């Protein structure tokens, strides 16, 4: 009679939104990110032989993972190495509600959930430093040279002030944020977007530096607005931030159309979020009802999906398939 092991390790991680400062954060400028309640869950179980991976995008041996998942494979290897456990006899299952490549930090969230669940399987807990460095391996494959803001925001339960190499500061908002997120339905390639900004920087150094400095100023003002609960000021700063992201060349017509639709729906502010060139945008509503109105308008303007929530309770509402 064979005995079946019931030992499992499981863990969850949430998504993130960059409120202000993406791209500039890669150049050492400050940025603000908030947790977004879309989740990924990873479950590790005992099996025999090669490590098997189960997910919506790939099922099979970890040795044959597609190139775009190489970061996850290396992250799993390094995690097992740091746990001093063999690279075998496991099944890793990932269930994610975070759409891939939409600037919502899906790659970092998947890596966080996997690393935590592997530690939990071996009845250990990673330190924050261990988590950061293991997730960084996977993020380097996904983003090239990540600033680390995605991982930091996904390890936090509240908004954060992030600047590379400096201490991460938790921000307690003066008033709840009523946020709307809309998906263009097109995959945004953060790697390419970050690369494009770098290339632009080399050719148009002064113009790009001016923009990066302006984004840093916007982030400083946004921090004050957030802390004091001045959502009208915060909103206007989001619109300003989007203009600078256009200068950096990371917006596109689809994102700009959604930002205009949010403006027409009376949003206090709106901008793309994350890497850009497709992916998602965010908008701020006056209250939850207004956030719902904006979310519906964004669907009419062509979004493939939109969500809205209050930072007070983090209950996520979805507007899907309501396009006219
Ligand atoms: C991606 O969510 C944010 C970027 O600033 C890249 C990074 O910070 O690593 C575009």
């Amino acid at each position: 009679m064979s005995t079946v092991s019931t030992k499992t390790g499981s863990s969850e991680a949430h998504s993130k939104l960059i409120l202000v400062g993406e791209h500039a954060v890669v150049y050492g400028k400050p940025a603000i990110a908030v947790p977004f309640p879309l989740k990924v869950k990873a479950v590790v179980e005992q099996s025999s032989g090669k490590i098997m991976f189960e997910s919506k995008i790939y099922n099979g041996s970890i040795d044959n993972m597609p190139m775009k998942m190489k970061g996850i494979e290396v992250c799993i290897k390094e995690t097992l190495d740091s746990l001093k456990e063999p690279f075998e006899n496991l099944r890793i299952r990932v269930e994610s509600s975070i759409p891939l490549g939409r600037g919502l930090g899906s790659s970092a969230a998947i890596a966080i959930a996997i690393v935590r669940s592997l530690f939990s399987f071996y009845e250990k807990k990673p330190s924050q430093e261990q988590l950061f460095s293991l997730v960084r391996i996977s993020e380097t494959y996904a983003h090239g040279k990540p600033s680390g803001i995605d991982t930091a925001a996904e390890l936090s339960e509240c908004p954060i002030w992030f600047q590379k190499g400096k201490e991460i500061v938790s921000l307690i908002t003066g008033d709840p944020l009523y946020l709307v997120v809309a998906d263009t339905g097109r995959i945004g390639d953060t790697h390419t977007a970050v690369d494009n900004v770098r290339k632009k920087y080399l050719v148009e150094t002064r113009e790009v530096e001016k923009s990066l400095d302006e984004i840093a100023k916007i982030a400083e003002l946004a921090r004050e607005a957030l802390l004091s609960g001045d959502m009208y000021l915060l909103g206007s700063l989001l619109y300003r931030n989007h203009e600078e992201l256009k200068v950096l060349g990371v917006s596109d017509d689809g994102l700009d159309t959604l930002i205009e639709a949010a403006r027409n729906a009376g949003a206090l502010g709106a901008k793309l979020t994350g890497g850009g060139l497709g992916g998602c945008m965010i908008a701020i509503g006056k209250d939850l009802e207004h956030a719902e109105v904006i979310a519906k308008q964004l669907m009419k303007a062509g979004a493939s999906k939109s969500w809205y929530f209050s930072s007070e309770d983090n209950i996520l509402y979805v507007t899907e398939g309501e396009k006219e």
Side-chain angles (χ1 to χ4, degrees):
M1 198 178 82
S2 66
T3 46
V4 179
S5 167
T6 53
K7 186 177 164 189
T8 60
S10 74
S11 182
E12 279 191 348
H14 60 72
S15 169
K16 66 88 195 121
L17 300 170
I18 298 189
L19 199 61
V20 284
E22 55 273 269
H23 286 288
V25 72
V26 174
Y27 296 81
K29 310 290 183 197
I32 300 174
V34 300
F36 182 39
L38 280 179
K39 297 229 163 86
V40 49
K41 182 177 180 187
V43 180
V44 176
E45 289 162 340
Q46 190 80 55
S47 80
S48 59
K50 289 187 171 183
I51 297 187
M52 300 303 283
F53 194 85
E54 287 175 21
S55 72
K56 246 193 260 172
I57 44 169
Y58 174 73
N59 282 299
S61 158
I62 201 163
D63 296 337
N64 304 326
M65 264 180 156
M67 201 47 210
K68 63 177 179 194
M69 293 176 80
K70 185 84 189 155
I72 294 180
E73 177 195 330
V74 180
C75 173
I76 293 170
K77 274 193 182 137
E78 294 282 333
T79 304
L80 288 169
D81 251 17
S82 73
L83 284 161
K84 300 191 175 43
E85 296 291 346
F87 189 66
E88 59 187 8
N89 302 336
L90 296 174
R91 179 170 37 248
I92 302 173
R93 200 171 66 240
V94 172
E95 288 158 24
S96 179
S97 60
I98 312 171
L100 293 175
R102 302 301 212 281
L104 301 177
S106 62
S107 56
I110 290 171
I112 292 172
I114 291 176
V115 172
R116 278 184 177 149
S117 61
L118 283 166
F119 270 79
S120 135
F121 182 80
Y122 292 107
E123 289 160 19
K124 295 206 172 113
K125 232 182 147 208
S127 65
Q128 286 290 92
E129 292 72 36
Q130 264 176 317
L131 256 173
F132 258 105
S133 72
L134 289 167
V135 172
R136 190 173 183 83
I137 298 167
S138 152
E139 283 294 272
T140 303
Y141 280 90
H143 286 193
K145 254 185 140 198
S147 65
I149 190 170
D150 290 11
T151 310
E154 290 171 359
L155 291 176
S156 171
E157 296 306 320
C158 66
I160 57 159
W161 174 257
F162 180 94
Q163 195 164 7
K164 246 184 353 188
K166 300 209 172 149
E167 200 180 325
I168 298 158
V169 182
S170 298
L171 302 176
I172 308 301
T173 55
D175 265 327
L177 258 173
Y178 300 102
L179 278 172
V180 184
V181 182
D183 188 350
T184 58
R186 285 172 294 110
I187 292 209
D189 181 352
T190 300
H191 205 306
T192 305
V194 170
D195 244 32
N196 287 358
V197 175
R198 192 180 46 80
K199 284 182 195 144
K200 199 174 168 71
Y201 188 93
L202 294 176
V203 185
E204 298 164 46
T205 312
R206 281 193 49 189
E207 194 191 0
V208 172
E209 264 177 0
K210 207 169 137 235
S211 225
L212 298 177
D213 287 343
E214 183 60 24
I215 294 175
K217 265 188 235 152
I218 290 171
E220 298 277 353
L221 294 170
R223 175 186 176 145
E224 293 315 309
L226 192 65
L227 293 177
S228 65
D230 189 344
M231 298 309 168
Y232 282 81
L233 175 59
L234 182 65
S236 69
L237 292 165
L238 259 66
Y239 283 130
R240 267 174 66 187
N241 192 167
H242 186 71
E243 290 309 309
E244 296 304 331
L245 289 163
K246 276 162 74 171
V247 174
L248 294 181
V250 294
S251 190
D252 63 16
D253 288 349
L255 284 161
D256 293 346
T257 301
L258 293 183
I259 279 118
E260 269 324 290
R263 196 192 295 273
N264 292 336
L268 304 184
K271 62 180 271 294
L272 70 83
T273 190
L277 298 180
C280 286
M281 54 78 71
I282 52 171
I284 301 182
K286 293 175 197 146
D287 50 34
L288 201 61
E289 289 77 50
H290 186 212
E292 182 179 6
V293 171
I294 299 168
K296 287 187 169 158
Q297 285 306 115
L298 290 171
M299 293 301 291
K300 285 185 189 161
S304 66
K305 194 164 180 174
S306 62
W307 301 264
Y308 58 99
F309 69 106
S310 151
S311 65
E312 204 167 36
D313 58 16
N314 273 328
I315 297 172
L316 194 62
Y317 301 90
V318 189
T319 324
E320 203 173 3
E322 289 191 17
K323 265 193 254 187
E324 284 183 349

